[in-house]
Amino acid sequence: VQLQASGGGLVQAGGSLRLSCAASRRTRAMGWFRQAPGKEREFVVASKWIGGETYYADSVKGRFTISRDNAKNTVYLQMNSLKPEDTAVYYCAARLGVYTTAPFQYDYWGQGTQVTVSS
């Protein structure tokens, strides 16, 4: 499975960005993770392709929304009310099994897209 992430950029605090992740085929679960300099990769949100069940990290709940376009095999991450602490490289990931919050359990990874939020 190949994943192509895009949509990152520089935005002021309070602004919005939408990330996209195009997959070569669907898997059972998709997730978004992020990694800030000097920190471990952090779970953001995970979702099932079928059924739409999702799980968000507390730090983004109410601000970020994951959605899917099944026809395009694309997952989106709408990020609103961005904060400087959201600054990181964002990665999309795909898992053949059920969705989970653990990065090491994901089977495929996109290349990452930088999100920078200025204060």
Side-chain angles (χ1 to χ4, degrees):
V1 178
Q2 294 181 327
L3 303 173
Q4 182 70 38
S6 61
L10 173 64
V11 65
Q12 288 189 331
S16 299
L17 281 174
R18 189 178 79 156
L19 306 183
S20 301
C21 179
S24 57
R25 68 173 178 88
R26 279 184 242 168
T27 56
R28 194 168 179 181
M30 293 289 292
W32 285 96
F33 295 81
R34 65 188 181 186
Q35 189 165 17
K39 295 188 177 182
E40 293 187 353
R41 194 162 295 189
E42 175 189 31
F43 167 76
V44 176
V45 60
S47 178
K48 292 170 59 176
W49 265 114
I50 306 298
E53 190 174 340
T54 60
Y55 183 76
Y56 292 91
D58 287 343
S59 59
V60 306
K61 201 173 294 183
R63 300 189 297 123
F64 291 12
T65 304
I66 191 171
S67 61
R68 291 161 302 279
D69 184 330
N70 291 339
K72 297 181 178 179
N73 285 351
T74 299
V75 174
Y76 302 98
L77 182 65
Q78 178 66 43
M79 305 185 295
N80 298 329
S81 302
L82 283 162
K83 305 175 181 179
E85 52 263 44
D86 294 318
T87 295
V89 177
Y90 283 70
Y91 298 90
C92 62
R95 188 165 190 264
L96 302 176
V98 298
Y99 74 86
T100 175
T101 63
F104 70 89
Q105 292 184 322
Y106 280 75
D107 303 293
Y108 306 97
W109 290 86
Q111 83 284 11
T113 184
Q114 176 71 46
V115 171
T116 303
V117 184
S118 63
S119 57

